[in-house]
Amino acid sequence: MSVFPFLVAGWILLVGLYGMVTSRNLIQAIGCLAVAQCSTYVLLLAVGYRRGGTAPVYSDIPTHSKVVDPVVQALALTDVVVGATVTALLLGLVLQLNKRHGTIDPDALTGLRG
């Protein structure tokens, strides 16, 4: 197993987190959150990858063949769906914030402070 996909996943996560921390626009922060979540796709695919493995369709391959883990692939697909849903929900919340407060700058949202 190579370490490279795990390093790429960590790098993508750090880039997304850096964007979220330094962003002064909530829409840009949500985009950076989506980028950070993409690191989980790479991580899950790296965990489930097997060199020389085939798709786990057992009707066409011999019984002792190497196959990739289908559970990890299902988790990656679930992660994509959850990520799209969370992004859509957060964008909806930002639209409501813009309607009520007239800005999407987190520093200018003084009404949200305690």
Side-chain angles (χ1 to χ4, degrees):
M1 179 179 284
S2 174
V3 180
F4 183 70
F6 299 102
L7 293 175
V8 170
W11 181 78
I12 293 172
L13 177 67
L14 289 177
V15 167
L17 289 176
Y18 176 77
M20 284 192 303
V21 170
T22 61
S23 176
R24 294 291 167 240
N25 184 330
L26 288 176
I27 293 176
Q28 184 181 9
I30 292 169
C32 292
L33 177 68
V35 169
Q37 190 193 7
C38 288
S39 68
T40 60
Y41 308 154
V42 176
L43 184 67
L44 286 172
L45 293 177
V47 168
Y49 178 75
R50 295 183 78 186
R51 185 177 300 276
T54 61
V57 180
Y58 294 105
S59 62
D60 297 338
I61 59 173
T63 56
H64 298 292
S65 298
K66 290 173 76 174
V67 294
V68 295
D69 189 3
V71 174
V72 177
Q73 292 177 356
L75 284 174
L77 286 174
T78 304
D79 194 15
V80 168
V81 171
V82 169
T85 304
V86 168
T87 301
L89 177 67
L90 290 175
L91 288 174
L93 289 173
V94 168
L95 284 176
Q96 290 300 317
L97 272 174
N98 190 30
K99 282 182 183 176
R100 291 181 185 224
H101 299 281
T103 182
I104 54 173
D105 184 6
D107 291 334
L109 293 170
T110 58
L112 298 178
R113 293 187 182 148

XYZ file of all heavy atoms in Angstrom:
839
model
N 0.847 -1.172 0.000
C 0.000 0.000 0.000
C 0.896 1.239 0.000
O 1.831 1.340 0.774
C -0.926 -0.017 1.203
C -1.810 1.191 1.269
S -2.947 1.201 2.661
C -4.160 0.036 2.094
N 0.588 2.166 -0.856
C 1.372 3.379 -0.981
C 0.875 4.448 0.001
O -0.292 4.496 0.365
C 1.255 3.903 -2.415
O 1.887 5.141 -2.534
N 1.795 5.288 0.397
C 1.455 6.368 1.320
C 0.957 7.598 0.563
O 0.288 8.461 1.134
C 2.703 6.710 2.173
C 2.402 7.828 3.136
C 3.182 5.492 2.913
N 1.254 7.654 -0.730
C 0.953 8.840 -1.529
C -0.523 9.272 -1.466
O -0.801 10.468 -1.270
C 1.392 8.616 -2.977
C 1.188 9.805 -3.846
C 1.971 10.953 -3.695
C 0.219 9.801 -4.825
C 1.768 12.062 -4.485
C 0.012 10.899 -5.629
C 0.789 12.024 -5.460
N -1.510 8.373 -1.618
C -2.915 8.836 -1.549
C -3.272 9.442 -0.197
O -4.068 10.384 -0.122
C -3.738 7.582 -1.810
C -2.820 6.625 -2.428
C -1.441 6.952 -1.967
N -2.669 8.921 0.872
C -2.956 9.470 2.185
C -2.350 10.870 2.339
O -2.947 11.747 2.970
C -2.434 8.534 3.278
C -3.082 7.183 3.225
C -2.418 6.104 2.682
C -4.375 7.021 3.691
C -3.021 4.869 2.623
C -4.993 5.790 3.639
C -4.312 4.703 3.092
N -1.176 11.070 1.744
C -0.578 12.406 1.765
C -1.406 13.388 0.947
O -1.590 14.545 1.345
C 0.859 12.346 1.245
C 1.862 11.594 2.122
C 3.208 11.502 1.431
C 1.989 12.261 3.468
N -1.913 12.922 -0.189
C -2.766 13.783 -1.022
C -4.050 14.136 -0.265
O -4.489 15.297 -0.274
C -3.092 13.085 -2.365
C -4.166 13.838 -3.128
C -1.827 12.962 -3.203
N -4.639 13.158 0.422
C -5.853 13.430 1.200
C -5.568 14.451 2.300
O -6.370 15.368 2.533
C -6.399 12.133 1.795
N -4.442 14.305 2.977
C -4.085 15.270 4.015
C -3.841 16.649 3.450
O -4.246 17.657 4.044
N -3.195 16.727 2.282
C -2.929 18.021 1.661
C -4.235 18.701 1.249
O -4.418 19.909 1.470
C -2.013 17.832 0.444
C -1.673 19.106 -0.229
C -0.748 20.032 0.169
C -2.275 19.626 -1.416
N -0.746 21.078 -0.698
C -1.659 20.855 -1.673
C -3.247 19.152 -2.267
C -2.021 21.626 -2.769
C -3.606 19.915 -3.347
C -2.990 21.137 -3.590
N -5.163 17.938 0.675
C -6.456 18.515 0.277
C -7.212 19.013 1.503
O -7.817 20.087 1.493
C -7.288 17.480 -0.514
C -6.633 17.185 -1.856
C -8.709 17.981 -0.739
C -7.271 16.042 -2.619
N -7.157 18.245 2.579
C -7.815 18.668 3.820
C -7.214 19.971 4.345
O -7.942 20.896 4.730
C -7.699 17.571 4.876
C -8.282 17.914 6.247
C -9.792 18.063 6.162
C -7.893 16.858 7.253
N -5.897 20.068 4.330
C -5.248 21.280 4.830
C -5.567 22.492 3.955
O -5.773 23.597 4.473
C -3.746 21.070 4.922
C -3.293 20.122 6.027
C -1.788 19.922 5.975
C -3.722 20.629 7.382
N -5.609 22.296 2.648
C -5.956 23.410 1.749
C -7.381 23.889 2.018
O -7.650 25.095 2.095
C -5.775 22.981 0.272
C -6.412 23.987 -0.672
C -4.311 22.806 -0.054
N -8.296 22.943 2.203
C -9.684 23.317 2.496
C -9.808 24.021 3.833
O -10.523 25.017 3.955
N -9.114 23.516 4.849
C -9.171 24.157 6.164
C -8.553 25.547 6.143
O -9.076 26.480 6.773
C -8.461 23.280 7.201
C -9.183 21.984 7.580
C -8.329 21.170 8.539
C -10.536 22.274 8.177
N -7.457 25.702 5.410
C -6.835 27.025 5.288
C -7.801 28.010 4.627
O -7.929 29.160 5.067
C -5.534 26.929 4.482
C -4.897 28.266 4.245
C -4.190 28.907 5.253
C -5.007 28.893 3.014
C -3.620 30.141 5.046
C -4.440 30.126 2.783
C -3.739 30.747 3.801
O -3.176 31.981 3.587
N -8.490 27.549 3.597
C -9.461 28.413 2.925
C -10.609 28.804 3.837
O -11.064 29.947 3.818
N -11.076 27.850 4.655
C -12.176 28.177 5.563
C -11.741 29.175 6.625
O -12.486 30.080 6.986
C -12.693 26.905 6.243
C -13.548 26.056 5.347
S -14.434 24.763 6.214
C -13.132 23.884 7.007
N -10.536 29.017 7.137
C -10.065 29.900 8.207
C -9.811 31.304 7.693
O -10.121 32.292 8.370
C -8.795 29.297 8.855
C -8.137 30.288 9.782
C -9.139 28.027 9.599
N -9.279 31.435 6.500
C -8.908 32.744 5.974
C -10.000 33.416 5.156
O -9.811 34.548 4.712
C -7.636 32.641 5.117
O -7.906 31.762 4.023
C -6.464 32.141 5.939
N -11.121 32.762 4.964
C -12.162 33.312 4.106
C -12.926 34.435 4.794
O -13.227 34.377 5.975
C -13.133 32.202 3.704
O -14.186 32.742 2.964
N -13.268 35.455 4.034
C -14.091 36.552 4.512
C -15.427 36.578 3.780
O -16.116 37.590 3.770
C -13.379 37.890 4.317
C -12.168 38.033 5.147
C -12.571 38.148 6.616
N -11.410 37.992 7.468
C -11.286 37.031 8.378
N -12.237 36.146 8.556
N -10.223 36.929 9.120
N -15.762 35.469 3.160
C -16.999 35.333 2.415
C -17.565 33.959 2.750
O -16.869 32.950 2.628
C -16.697 35.448 0.914
C -17.933 35.423 0.066
O -18.935 34.816 0.420
N -17.861 36.075 -1.081
N -18.819 33.909 3.200
C -19.382 32.629 3.625
C -19.538 31.646 2.470
O -19.392 30.439 2.663
C -20.729 32.866 4.308
C -20.633 33.497 5.691
C -22.025 33.772 6.249
C -19.865 32.599 6.631
N -19.826 32.131 1.278
C -19.946 31.229 0.131
C -18.590 30.608 -0.190
O -18.484 29.410 -0.474
C -20.544 31.977 -1.077
C -22.002 32.343 -0.768
C -20.473 31.132 -2.333
C -22.679 33.150 -1.820
N -17.545 31.418 -0.123
C -16.202 30.887 -0.341
C -15.834 29.884 0.759
O -15.218 28.861 0.495
C -15.190 32.018 -0.361
C -13.799 31.558 -0.677
C -12.816 32.722 -0.662
O -13.138 33.812 -0.259
N -11.617 32.460 -1.114
N -16.251 30.154 1.984
C -15.979 29.220 3.084
C -16.690 27.890 2.853
O -16.141 26.821 3.155
C -16.391 29.833 4.411
N -17.903 27.934 2.329
C -18.628 26.695 2.034
C -17.921 25.926 0.918
O -17.815 24.701 0.959
C -20.094 27.002 1.681
C -20.806 27.529 2.918
C -20.797 25.779 1.127
C -22.169 28.100 2.629
N -17.421 26.637 -0.079
C -16.637 25.982 -1.133
C -15.394 25.327 -0.573
O -15.030 24.206 -0.966
N -14.751 26.001 0.369
C -13.557 25.424 0.993
C -13.919 24.219 1.855
O -13.150 23.261 1.945
C -12.842 26.483 1.820
S -12.110 27.768 0.811
N -15.090 24.252 2.472
C -15.557 23.085 3.220
C -15.769 21.902 2.281
O -15.418 20.765 2.612
C -16.854 23.413 3.966
C -17.492 22.259 4.721
C -16.618 21.854 5.896
C -18.881 22.642 5.183
N -16.310 22.170 1.105
C -16.499 21.097 0.121
C -15.155 20.530 -0.334
O -15.021 19.319 -0.529
C -17.305 21.611 -1.067
N -14.166 21.408 -0.483
C -12.825 20.934 -0.855
C -12.252 20.072 0.260
O -11.678 19.003 0.007
C -11.898 22.129 -1.161
C -10.455 21.680 -1.278
C -12.335 22.816 -2.435
N -12.425 20.519 1.509
C -11.916 19.727 2.637
C -12.606 18.378 2.693
O -11.976 17.360 3.019
C -12.114 20.490 3.942
N -13.875 18.336 2.357
C -14.576 17.063 2.385
C -14.117 16.148 1.255
O -14.192 14.926 1.383
C -16.074 17.280 2.309
C -16.807 15.987 2.586
C -18.254 16.033 2.236
O -18.720 16.997 1.653
N -18.952 14.983 2.584
N -13.633 16.710 0.170
C -13.121 15.883 -0.934
C -11.937 15.037 -0.481
O -11.651 13.996 -1.084
C -12.722 16.761 -2.112
S -14.116 17.455 -2.987
N -11.257 15.464 0.549
C -10.149 14.649 1.051
C -10.648 13.313 1.574
O -9.934 12.316 1.510
C -9.398 15.402 2.142
O -10.205 15.555 3.289
N -11.886 13.265 2.066
C -12.414 11.986 2.534
C -12.665 11.030 1.368
O -12.547 9.821 1.537
C -13.705 12.178 3.335
O -14.686 12.799 2.513
C -13.460 13.020 4.576
N -12.990 11.582 0.191
C -13.161 10.708 -0.973
C -11.839 10.022 -1.306
O -11.781 8.807 -1.526
C -13.623 11.480 -2.213
C -14.822 12.362 -2.046
C -15.000 13.459 -2.874
C -15.774 12.117 -1.080
C -16.095 14.274 -2.755
C -16.872 12.932 -0.939
C -17.029 14.009 -1.777
O -18.109 14.829 -1.650
N -10.777 10.819 -1.328
C -9.461 10.269 -1.645
C -9.042 9.259 -0.580
O -8.518 8.190 -0.885
C -8.417 11.396 -1.778
C -7.031 10.837 -2.008
C -8.805 12.337 -2.907
N -9.319 9.591 0.673
C -8.956 8.685 1.767
C -9.718 7.365 1.660
O -9.120 6.282 1.788
C -9.239 9.365 3.101
C -8.838 8.591 4.339
C -7.325 8.460 4.410
C -9.357 9.265 5.575
N -11.021 7.433 1.416
C -11.802 6.200 1.313
C -11.375 5.370 0.108
O -11.280 4.144 0.193
C -13.293 6.528 1.227
C -13.934 6.987 2.522
C -15.354 7.478 2.271
C -13.949 5.855 3.533
N -11.106 6.020 -1.006
C -10.677 5.274 -2.185
C -9.301 4.662 -1.969
O -9.010 3.568 -2.457
C -10.689 6.167 -3.420
C -12.089 6.606 -3.857
C -12.004 7.557 -5.038
C -12.939 5.401 -4.210
N -8.445 5.336 -1.221
C -7.128 4.782 -0.927
C -7.228 3.570 -0.010
O -6.484 2.600 -0.166
C -6.235 5.848 -0.285
N -8.152 3.613 0.925
C -8.331 2.478 1.835
C -8.874 1.265 1.077
O -8.456 0.128 1.305
C -9.267 2.873 3.000
C -9.707 1.668 3.790
C -8.588 3.873 3.903
N -9.803 1.489 0.176
C -10.439 0.385 -0.527
C -9.696 -0.121 -1.738
O -10.050 -1.167 -2.292
N -8.636 0.581 -2.160
C -7.924 0.183 -3.374
C -7.068 -1.050 -3.127
O -6.402 -1.160 -2.096
C -7.037 1.338 -3.854
C -6.223 0.999 -5.068
C -6.814 0.933 -6.315
C -4.869 0.727 -4.954
C -6.078 0.616 -7.427
C -4.120 0.409 -6.075
C -4.729 0.361 -7.299
O -3.999 0.034 -8.399
N -7.111 -1.977 -4.077
C -6.231 -3.145 -4.043
C -5.592 -3.267 -5.411
O -6.276 -3.350 -6.430
C -7.011 -4.413 -3.732
C -7.604 -4.388 -2.337
C -8.292 -5.657 -2.023
N -7.267 -6.660 -1.692
C -7.548 -7.918 -1.481
N -8.787 -8.347 -1.580
N -6.594 -8.779 -1.180
N -4.276 -3.297 -5.430
C -3.560 -3.382 -6.704
C -3.916 -4.689 -7.415
O -3.825 -5.758 -6.842
C -2.064 -3.319 -6.472
C -1.251 -3.270 -7.767
C 0.230 -3.131 -7.468
N 0.541 -1.924 -6.734
C 0.742 -0.712 -7.274
N 0.673 -0.586 -8.576
N 1.030 0.313 -6.533
N -4.348 -4.555 -8.652
C -4.731 -5.721 -9.441
C -6.124 -6.231 -9.128
O -6.535 -7.246 -9.687
N -6.842 -5.553 -8.251
C -8.189 -5.990 -7.904
C -9.191 -5.610 -8.973
O -8.996 -4.666 -9.727
N -10.271 -6.371 -9.022
C -11.327 -6.089 -9.986
C -12.591 -5.719 -9.237
O -12.659 -5.792 -8.018
C -11.610 -7.318 -10.872
O -12.040 -8.386 -10.028
C -10.388 -7.738 -11.646
N -13.597 -5.333 -9.993
C -14.884 -4.998 -9.386
C -15.478 -6.255 -8.745
O -15.309 -7.366 -9.268
C -15.827 -4.444 -10.450
N -16.158 -6.106 -7.620
C -16.673 -7.286 -6.917
C -17.948 -7.852 -7.539
O -18.971 -8.010 -6.885
C -16.905 -6.761 -5.511
C -17.189 -5.329 -5.689
C -16.354 -4.881 -6.856
N -17.871 -8.167 -8.807
C -18.975 -8.846 -9.486
C -18.526 -10.293 -9.646
O -17.672 -10.608 -10.479
C -19.273 -8.204 -10.856
C -20.412 -8.916 -11.535
C -19.572 -6.727 -10.685
N -19.066 -11.180 -8.842
C -18.530 -12.526 -8.721
C -19.037 -13.496 -9.778
O -18.643 -14.643 -9.796
C -18.871 -13.082 -7.335
C -18.175 -12.319 -6.238
C -18.871 -11.434 -5.444
C -16.825 -12.481 -6.025
C -18.237 -10.718 -4.451
C -16.181 -11.776 -5.039
C -16.888 -10.902 -4.249
O -16.250 -10.202 -3.274
N -19.856 -13.068 -10.668
C -20.379 -13.996 -11.658
C -19.395 -14.242 -12.795
O -19.444 -15.295 -13.424
C -21.701 -13.475 -12.226
O -21.484 -12.246 -12.881
N -18.480 -13.307 -13.061
C -17.596 -13.432 -14.217
C -16.147 -13.724 -13.860
O -15.331 -13.896 -14.751
C -17.628 -12.140 -15.037
C -19.001 -11.870 -15.605
O -19.778 -12.837 -15.735
O -19.296 -10.712 -15.911
N -15.782 -13.768 -12.583
C -14.380 -13.938 -12.213
C -14.205 -15.220 -11.411
O -15.145 -15.719 -10.795
C -13.892 -12.728 -11.395
C -14.720 -12.550 -10.122
C -13.911 -11.467 -12.222
C -14.195 -11.494 -9.186
N -12.975 -15.781 -11.419
C -12.719 -16.978 -10.605
C -12.852 -16.661 -9.115
O -12.731 -15.516 -8.687
C -11.275 -17.346 -10.957
C -10.962 -16.625 -12.209
C -11.847 -15.439 -12.276
N -13.047 -17.664 -8.314
C -13.324 -17.458 -6.884
C -12.123 -16.950 -6.107
O -12.279 -16.369 -5.053
C -13.809 -18.763 -6.245
O -12.829 -19.780 -6.471
C -15.151 -19.180 -6.815
N -10.901 -17.162 -6.589
C -9.711 -16.733 -5.857
C -9.135 -15.432 -6.389
O -7.999 -15.094 -6.104
C -8.643 -17.832 -5.892
C -9.100 -19.087 -5.231
N -9.315 -19.162 -3.879
C -9.413 -20.303 -5.722
C -9.711 -20.384 -3.561
N -9.802 -21.101 -4.675
N -9.877 -14.677 -7.154
C -9.390 -13.411 -7.708
C -9.422 -12.321 -6.647
O -10.232 -12.353 -5.726
C -10.269 -12.979 -8.880
O -10.204 -13.922 -9.903
N -8.513 -11.349 -6.809
C -8.509 -10.190 -5.911
C -9.609 -9.220 -6.357
O -9.749 -8.930 -7.536
C -7.159 -9.485 -5.983
C -6.041 -10.255 -5.360
C -4.716 -9.585 -5.607
C -4.556 -8.398 -4.718
N -3.190 -7.807 -4.858
N -10.382 -8.757 -5.406
C -11.423 -7.771 -5.712
C -11.261 -6.595 -4.761
O -10.693 -6.711 -3.673
C -12.846 -8.364 -5.559
C -13.109 -9.434 -6.590
C -13.074 -8.890 -4.167
N -11.757 -5.462 -5.182
C -11.724 -4.282 -4.318
C -12.836 -4.400 -3.299
O -13.795 -5.151 -3.466
C -11.856 -2.982 -5.142
C -10.668 -2.813 -6.050
C -13.139 -2.966 -5.900
N -12.722 -3.634 -2.212
C -13.706 -3.694 -1.144
C -14.950 -2.897 -1.545
O -14.896 -1.678 -1.700
C -13.097 -3.116 0.131
C -13.970 -3.338 1.345
O -15.014 -3.989 1.208
O -13.586 -2.858 2.431
N -16.110 -3.520 -1.703
C -17.307 -2.784 -2.120
C -17.876 -1.896 -1.025
O -18.569 -0.926 -1.323
C -18.292 -3.893 -2.502
C -17.859 -5.062 -1.718
C -16.357 -4.956 -1.583
N -17.580 -2.198 0.220
C -18.112 -1.384 1.316
C -17.503 0.020 1.281
O -18.194 1.024 1.461
C -17.854 -2.064 2.674
C -18.259 -1.158 3.822
C -18.593 -3.382 2.751
N -16.219 0.085 0.996
C -15.558 1.383 0.949
C -16.077 2.200 -0.237
O -16.276 3.411 -0.124
C -14.024 1.198 0.879
C -13.332 2.524 0.752
C -13.548 0.456 2.112
N -16.338 1.535 -1.343
C -16.904 2.247 -2.491
C -18.293 2.785 -2.157
O -18.640 3.906 -2.511
C -16.983 1.324 -3.697
C -15.623 0.936 -4.230
C -15.734 -0.037 -5.382
O -16.816 -0.474 -5.744
N -14.602 -0.379 -5.962
N -19.079 1.997 -1.447
C -20.413 2.458 -1.044
C -20.303 3.626 -0.069
O -21.096 4.571 -0.137
C -21.186 1.309 -0.408
N -19.320 3.574 0.824
C -19.115 4.694 1.750
C -18.716 5.959 1.000
O -19.151 7.062 1.354
C -18.050 4.342 2.782
C -18.480 3.404 3.896
C -17.283 3.029 4.755
C -19.537 4.054 4.739
N -17.882 5.814 -0.030
C -17.477 6.985 -0.816
C -18.675 7.598 -1.529
O -18.829 8.828 -1.559
C -16.385 6.600 -1.809
N -19.541 6.755 -2.079
C -20.740 7.283 -2.744
C -21.666 7.961 -1.737
O -22.247 9.017 -2.010
C -21.476 6.161 -3.471
C -20.812 5.676 -4.747
C -21.550 4.473 -5.308
C -20.764 6.767 -5.782
N -21.804 7.370 -0.569
C -22.608 7.987 0.481
C -22.019 9.317 0.903
O -22.741 10.294 1.146
C -22.715 7.039 1.691
O -23.246 5.797 1.243
C -23.598 7.620 2.769
N -20.700 9.375 0.971
C -20.014 10.611 1.329
C -20.273 11.711 0.302
O -20.474 12.874 0.659
C -18.515 10.327 1.455
C -17.772 11.443 2.146
O -18.421 12.299 2.768
O -16.530 11.439 2.072
N -20.302 11.348 -0.962
C -20.590 12.326 -2.017
C -21.998 12.891 -1.845
O -22.220 14.110 -1.915
C -20.421 11.681 -3.413
C -20.981 12.581 -4.500
C -18.963 11.351 -3.673
N -22.951 12.013 -1.571
C -24.348 12.456 -1.421
C -24.495 13.343 -0.181
O -25.135 14.405 -0.234
C -25.286 11.234 -1.346
C -26.694 11.644 -0.979
C -25.266 10.484 -2.657
N -23.898 12.928 0.922
C -23.981 13.726 2.142
C -23.289 15.077 1.946
O -23.806 16.120 2.382
C -23.374 12.952 3.337
C -23.212 13.849 4.544
C -24.245 11.761 3.683
N -22.160 15.083 1.262
C -21.447 16.336 1.000
C -22.267 17.295 0.158
O -22.318 18.499 0.454
N -22.926 16.780 -0.864
C -23.759 17.645 -1.705
C -24.939 18.191 -0.911
O -25.313 19.369 -1.053
C -24.242 16.870 -2.925
N -25.499 17.361 -0.048
C -26.638 17.802 0.755
C -26.225 18.885 1.751
O -26.921 19.897 1.915
C -27.233 16.598 1.504
O -27.569 15.588 0.553
C -28.448 17.000 2.295
N -25.114 18.677 2.422
C -24.637 19.663 3.397
C -24.288 20.973 2.705
O -24.619 22.059 3.200
C -23.428 19.098 4.180
C -22.737 20.180 4.975
C -23.883 17.982 5.102
N -23.661 20.888 1.540
C -23.328 22.103 0.804
C -24.590 22.864 0.401
O -24.655 24.090 0.553
C -22.491 21.749 -0.433
O -21.303 21.088 -0.010
C -22.123 22.988 -1.221
N -25.598 22.150 -0.084
C -26.848 22.814 -0.473
C -27.526 23.450 0.733
O -28.034 24.575 0.658
C -27.785 21.809 -1.136
N -27.524 22.755 1.864
C -28.138 23.306 3.077
C -27.410 24.558 3.541
O -28.038 25.578 3.879
C -28.137 22.255 4.182
C -28.674 22.709 5.535
C -30.160 22.998 5.432
C -28.393 21.673 6.589
N -26.092 24.519 3.544
C -25.324 25.686 3.986
C -25.490 26.865 3.038
O -25.572 28.017 3.481
C -23.845 25.326 4.131
C -23.525 24.395 5.297
C -22.056 24.011 5.275
C -23.877 25.044 6.612
N -25.553 26.601 1.741
C -25.781 27.690 0.793
C -27.160 28.309 0.998
O -27.330 29.534 0.889
C -25.615 27.198 -0.644
C -24.173 26.913 -1.071
C -24.153 26.290 -2.465
C -23.335 28.175 -1.044
N -28.149 27.489 1.328
C -29.475 28.015 1.641
C -29.452 28.897 2.877
O -30.108 29.945 2.919
N -28.693 28.472 3.884
C -28.572 29.291 5.093
C -27.872 30.611 4.811
O -28.241 31.659 5.360
C -27.826 28.517 6.177
C -28.598 27.356 6.804
C -27.696 26.574 7.738
C -29.815 27.866 7.526
N -26.878 30.588 3.946
C -26.174 31.830 3.590
C -27.107 32.773 2.835
O -27.079 33.990 3.053
C -24.902 31.521 2.775
C -24.322 32.787 2.158
C -23.879 30.855 3.661
N -27.952 32.215 1.978
C -28.921 33.065 1.280
C -29.876 33.726 2.275
O -30.208 34.914 2.134
C -29.701 32.242 0.260
C -28.959 31.892 -1.013
C -29.811 30.989 -1.902
C -28.568 33.141 -1.770
N -30.320 32.987 3.271
C -31.202 33.573 4.287
C -30.477 34.646 5.098
O -31.066 35.677 5.439
C -31.740 32.482 5.211
C -32.727 31.565 4.533
C -33.939 32.327 4.007
O -34.485 33.200 4.675
N -34.336 32.005 2.782
N -29.208 34.385 5.425
C -28.415 35.404 6.129
C -28.283 36.666 5.299
O -28.373 37.788 5.819
C -27.019 34.863 6.445
C -26.844 34.110 7.747
C -25.450 33.530 7.832
C -27.094 35.035 8.913
N -28.063 36.494 4.004
C -27.932 37.657 3.121
C -29.235 38.439 3.042
O -29.226 39.676 3.014
C -27.472 37.202 1.737
C -27.090 38.379 0.861
O -26.640 39.409 1.358
N -27.273 38.232 -0.435
N -30.355 37.737 3.041
C -31.651 38.431 2.997
C -31.902 39.210 4.278
O -32.412 40.318 4.260
C -32.782 37.423 2.791
C -32.928 36.934 1.390
C -34.115 35.983 1.278
C -34.226 35.413 -0.118
N -35.313 34.427 -0.212
N -31.549 38.630 5.416
C -31.859 39.268 6.702
C -30.862 40.350 7.095
O -31.208 41.348 7.701
C -31.914 38.227 7.804
C -33.096 37.315 7.669
C -33.138 36.314 8.762
N -34.247 35.401 8.495
C -35.090 34.999 9.412
N -34.959 35.397 10.639
N -36.057 34.185 9.099
N -29.572 40.119 6.799
C -28.546 41.046 7.270
C -27.878 41.839 6.151
O -27.130 42.770 6.415
C -27.475 40.281 8.056
C -28.022 39.594 9.270
N -28.291 40.261 10.431
C -28.381 38.304 9.490
C -28.780 39.415 11.328
N -28.851 38.210 10.775
N -28.091 41.447 4.896
C -27.543 42.198 3.778
C -26.059 41.994 3.544
O -25.460 42.749 2.779
N -25.463 41.006 4.159
C -24.042 40.737 3.945
C -23.770 39.252 4.157
O -24.531 38.560 4.845
C -23.172 41.564 4.903
O -21.801 41.309 4.623
C -23.455 41.231 6.346
N -22.679 38.790 3.557
C -22.230 37.415 3.785
C -20.814 37.419 4.347
O -20.144 36.400 4.361
C -22.316 36.560 2.508
C -21.575 37.211 1.350
C -23.754 36.286 2.147
C -21.498 36.331 0.115
N -20.377 38.574 4.815
C -19.080 38.676 5.480
C -19.260 38.268 6.942
O -20.039 38.894 7.673
C -18.566 40.109 5.391
C -17.176 40.257 5.980
O -16.569 39.238 6.357
O -16.703 41.402 6.072
N -18.559 37.251 7.416
C -18.771 36.802 8.796
C -18.406 37.863 9.827
O -19.005 37.903 10.900
C -17.865 35.578 8.935
C -17.269 35.314 7.619
C -17.623 36.414 6.698
N -17.462 38.720 9.526
C -17.089 39.764 10.486
C -18.148 40.859 10.579
O -18.261 41.533 11.595
C -15.747 40.389 10.101
C -14.603 39.420 10.282
O -14.741 38.497 11.131
O -13.580 39.563 9.595
N -18.924 41.044 9.520
C -19.941 42.098 9.517
C -21.266 41.638 10.113
O -22.173 42.440 10.283
C -20.170 42.585 8.088
N -21.388 40.367 10.434
C -22.637 39.852 11.000
C -22.633 40.082 12.507
O -22.496 39.163 13.307
C -22.788 38.371 10.664
C -23.003 38.067 9.188
C -22.903 36.587 8.934
C -24.336 38.609 8.726
N -22.824 41.310 12.895
C -22.758 41.649 14.323
C -23.993 41.177 15.071
O -23.951 41.019 16.283
C -22.601 43.160 14.498
O -23.697 43.803 13.859
C -21.277 43.635 13.922
N -25.089 40.967 14.374
C -26.312 40.520 15.026
C -26.220 39.103 15.557
O -27.023 38.700 16.383
N -25.242 38.340 15.095
C -25.088 36.965 15.546
C -24.208 36.848 16.785
O -24.096 35.788 17.364
C -24.475 36.109 14.416
C -25.312 36.003 13.153
C -24.587 35.173 12.111
C -26.660 35.381 13.464
N -23.593 37.946 17.192
C -22.731 37.902 18.377
C -23.592 37.990 19.635
O -24.628 38.621 19.666
C -21.732 39.050 18.344
C -20.748 38.875 17.206
C -19.672 39.903 17.258
N -18.795 39.707 16.113
C -18.155 40.662 15.499
N -18.262 41.895 15.923
N -17.386 40.408 14.478
N -23.086 37.389 20.705
C -23.840 37.370 21.948
C -23.734 38.617 22.751
O -23.239 39.629 22.483
